[in-house]
Amino acid sequence: MNKINFNRLQNARIYRGFTIAELSKELGISKQAFSKYETSDNVPLEKVFQIAKILNFPTEYFFQSEDKYNLEVKSTYFRSLLTTKKKCREEQIAKMKCLSIIHYIFNEYVEFPNLNIPDDLPFDITPEEAANELRKHWNLGNKPINNIIQIAEENGIIVTKFETNTDNIDAFSTLINLENKGLYLVALNKNTTSACRIHFDVAHELGHMLLDEYNEDIEALDREEFKNREKIANRFAASFLLPKDEFIKDVSLYPSNLDYYEELKKKWKVSIAAMIYRARELNIISQYQYQSLFKKMNYRGMIKKEPLDDMLKTSEPSLLNEAIDILLDNQVFTKRELLDEFKEHGFFIGRENMESLLNLPDNKLLPEDENNRKKIVSLKNK
């Protein structure tokens, strides 16, 4: 029998999206037997190898010392909380915990931007007022935002993309306290490619950061309270992306012309639907005009997929990618040394898992000697 870090076994299972019942079935054992694995350091070695293979984690991950980091997950806002299975939410939270530790280790060598969001807003501030304050705080003026991910990263917010088997989770944000320092993370579904959708998702999460508490159990909120918070975050997002005075000037020229909204979409990088909502909210158009525009959108097949969705682009999360480039380009580490550094810290989740979690290109961290070996094997197989 070999002693393992059984907490790591549970973390890896949740990270990979397995329930106890699902993983025990893969292992060919009972749920009761597997449950004991997650509460005991006596697990048969052959089972550890089997678990590592199924979960695609390095075997050494399960034998690394007890986690030494003082980590606490505060609240997590899932936009689709009411329709998303608990195990799917837990999977993403587990990944964000890993990401925060990786960021913490990188922080020993790379200076990241400090968190820069207003922390003294009045309790009764409206979403419109909060959006204006954030624009002032970040010196954005009233012009369109072309790369909201870049702006968020420059102001100390970690943005990443995640893989999931469900489209119910489009985006979420969480606050993690690590070694008594708060870190906000925004995660976007990799299946979402529309720049307009991405911009609204990030802006929505910024609304939660400014207007909501991250020190409560979100799942304990009743249905109506949760839906109200989502509506407020949506109003913040619309106000932040489409500042009132500038947007009124633009949309007032042809407020009931659907083709004109398509032109405005190129400028503002906001969906046509969101702009129509905003125009109605600002009383630029009547309820009749509002309904008429959506009927036209439905008739043209624009409800599910709008024009320009495949054409407009925005930046990818790059903060952690750039941190790795700094360390490698300045020869602080070779790729192998960088991976070994995480082993030294007792937190090596595997190269491929790190690349996926950090939204890096495939093989970004593949050591040169392994890369050359792959090329040789490939040539031999030709």
Side-chain angles (χ1 to χ4, degrees):
M1 306 290 278
N2 292 268
K3 291 186 176 182
I4 69 164
N5 180 346
F6 54 85
N7 289 326
R8 290 289 182 86
L9 194 156
Q10 183 183 61
N11 291 340
R13 173 180 62 77
I14 295 173
Y15 183 108
R16 199 58 71 199
F18 278 84
T19 63
I20 289 177
E22 290 167 342
L23 188 51
S24 60
K25 184 177 180 180
E26 289 284 332
L27 293 168
I29 60 176
S30 68
K31 289 192 296 183
Q32 293 78 8
F34 182 81
S35 294
K36 291 180 180 179
Y37 290 175
E38 293 193 353
T39 58
S40 169
D41 56 13
N42 291 319
V43 181
L45 184 59
E46 64 272 16
K47 288 300 180 185
V48 178
F49 289 148
Q50 194 176 355
I51 290 167
K53 184 176 181 180
I54 293 171
L55 299 181
N56 192 24
F57 267 75
T59 304
E60 61 199 281
Y61 173 78
F62 302 101
F63 291 94
Q64 291 168 343
S65 60
E66 184 63 37
D67 297 332
K68 59 183 179 181
Y69 301 101
N70 179 21
L71 185 150
E72 178 188 11
V73 179
K74 309 298 279 187
S75 300
T76 303
Y77 281 91
F78 285 95
R79 292 184 63 184
S80 304
L81 177 65
L82 301 177
T83 57
T84 307
K85 292 181 180 179
K86 185 176 181 180
K87 82 164 188 173
C88 295
R89 301 196 303 270
E90 290 180 339
E91 174 187 344
Q92 301 307 331
I93 292 172
K95 290 177 180 178
M96 293 306 103
K97 288 166 64 176
C98 290
L99 183 60
S100 66
I101 293 174
I102 291 172
H103 175 272
Y104 180 80
I105 294 171
F106 276 143
N107 205 38
E108 292 186 16
Y109 305 97
V110 178
E111 185 175 354
F112 291 106
N114 292 321
L115 181 63
N116 179 34
I117 58 175
D119 57 2
D120 55 352
L121 297 179
F123 176 76
D124 58 350
I125 193 169
T126 67
E128 185 96 37
E129 291 168 340
N132 291 338
E133 285 299 315
L134 185 59
R135 274 188 168 261
K136 289 178 185 176
H137 195 75
W138 286 352
N139 298 313
L140 298 178
N142 288 321
K143 301 303 179 184
I145 294 173
N146 290 318
N147 291 301
I148 196 170
I149 291 177
Q150 180 182 342
I151 292 171
E153 289 183 325
E154 288 172 350
N155 287 282
I157 298 165
I158 301 301
V159 184
T160 190
K161 290 191 171 183
F162 63 90
E163 294 179 341
T164 178
N165 293 324
T166 175
D167 286 332
N168 284 341
I169 306 178
D170 43 12
F172 66 93
S173 60
T174 188
L175 172 63
I176 293 179
N177 279 350
L178 183 57
E179 300 298 338
N180 299 316
K181 183 177 180 181
L183 182 68
Y184 280 106
L185 300 103
V186 173
L188 307 169
N189 193 326
K190 283 187 178 180
N191 296 333
T192 301
T193 57
S194 164
C196 297
R197 179 72 174 273
I198 289 169
H199 277 217
F200 201 90
D201 283 346
V202 175
H204 176 101
E205 302 309 329
L206 292 175
H208 283 307
M209 291 177 200
L210 266 69
L211 297 169
D212 293 318
E213 290 289 335
Y214 278 76
N215 294 309
E216 59 184 326
D217 183 3
I218 305 302
E219 296 189 22
L221 297 176
D222 64 56
R223 185 183 185 91
E224 289 307 311
E225 174 60 21
F226 176 77
K227 290 172 70 175
N228 183 56
R229 292 196 186 186
E230 288 298 287
K231 287 179 181 178
I232 290 173
N234 282 339
R235 287 177 58 198
F236 173 93
S239 302
F240 183 69
L241 296 172
L242 301 167
K244 181 178 178 180
D245 293 341
E246 198 73 18
F247 181 64
I248 287 177
K249 289 179 186 177
D250 273 356
V251 78
S252 293
L253 295 176
Y254 305 99
S256 58
N257 186 309
L258 187 57
D259 293 327
Y260 181 57
Y261 282 93
E262 186 174 337
E263 290 302 309
L264 290 181
K265 182 173 179 174
K266 298 175 185 177
K267 174 180 178 179
W268 290 99
K269 284 192 176 178
V270 176
S271 72
I272 294 171
M275 286 190 288
I276 294 173
Y277 274 115
R278 181 72 166 146
R280 179 68 191 105
E281 181 185 50
L282 295 172
N283 291 315
I284 301 169
I285 57 175
S286 67
Q287 183 65 18
Y288 174 79
Q289 289 173 311
Y290 170 82
Q291 292 173 339
S292 177
L293 284 166
F294 270 97
K295 285 180 181 178
K296 289 178 182 177
M297 286 187 69
N298 186 49
Y299 178 76
R300 296 187 190 180
M302 293 167 57
I303 299 296
K304 290 187 176 181
K305 185 174 182 179
E306 294 186 359
L308 305 177
D309 276 351
D310 296 332
M311 296 177 61
L312 298 178
K313 303 298 181 183
T314 191
S315 60
E316 290 286 316
S318 61
L319 190 65
L320 295 171
N321 199 340
E322 290 172 359
I324 290 171
D325 286 339
I326 289 172
L327 296 175
L328 296 178
D329 293 346
N330 289 281
Q331 299 181 344
V332 178
F333 296 111
T334 64
K335 292 181 180 181
R336 182 167 296 284
E337 288 169 343
L338 182 61
L339 297 177
D340 288 342
E341 184 69 11
F342 284 90
K343 295 178 184 178
E344 288 293 320
H345 281 80
F347 196 79
F348 180 60
I349 63 174
R351 174 183 63 79
E352 292 178 349
N353 286 334
M354 286 183 63
E355 289 172 347
S356 176
L357 190 60
L358 298 173
N359 197 40
L360 304 177
D362 290 345
N363 297 326
K364 168 85 174 185
L365 300 177
L366 183 67
E368 288 299 325
D369 54 342
E370 289 188 31
N371 192 30
N372 291 336
R373 192 179 305 121
K374 278 191 173 185
K375 290 179 180 177
I376 293 171
V377 171
S378 177
L379 287 171
K380 285 183 176 180
N381 291 334
K382 283 185 177 180

